[in-house]
Amino acid sequence: MIESIRVPWISPKIPPVKVARAIVKGIKRNKAIVVVPTTNFLLGSLNNIFPRLLDWLYLKLKIEGVKVK
């Protein structure tokens, strides 16, 4: 389902099994939000605190999504 999708290098494709395990673990721990991989939690937190900094960083590192037809 995701084999043909191109993603930026900073957000690699994650195997569905790993995502499913994280979701089950989150349910068992009664978590409202599950972030996979956990390193993306840091980026999300930084984006909430310094949105312009992250916009600038994404621009400099040429990290952007690709439109899907």
Side-chain angles (χ1 to χ4, degrees):
M1 191 161 93
I2 62 171
E3 288 179 18
S4 62
I5 296 174
R6 293 185 339 197
V7 295
W9 60 269
I10 199 164
S11 60
K13 294 179 190 174
I14 302 166
V17 172
K18 186 173 182 179
V19 174
R21 285 185 185 141
I23 292 170
V24 170
K25 186 177 176 181
I27 291 170
K28 287 180 179 179
R29 294 182 177 182
N30 202 24
K31 297 281 184 175
I33 298 173
V34 177
V35 180
V36 181
T38 52
T39 54
N40 284 354
F41 182 78
L42 175 62
L43 284 176
S45 298
L46 285 174
N47 192 45
N48 286 335
I49 299 168
F50 307 109
R52 288 185 179 177
L53 174 64
L54 269 286
D55 288 346
W56 175 83
L57 184 63
Y58 292 154
L59 181 66
K60 290 297 176 188
L61 296 175
K62 297 181 180 170
I63 301 170
E64 58 186 60
V66 177
K67 289 185 180 179
V68 179
K69 293 181 182 180

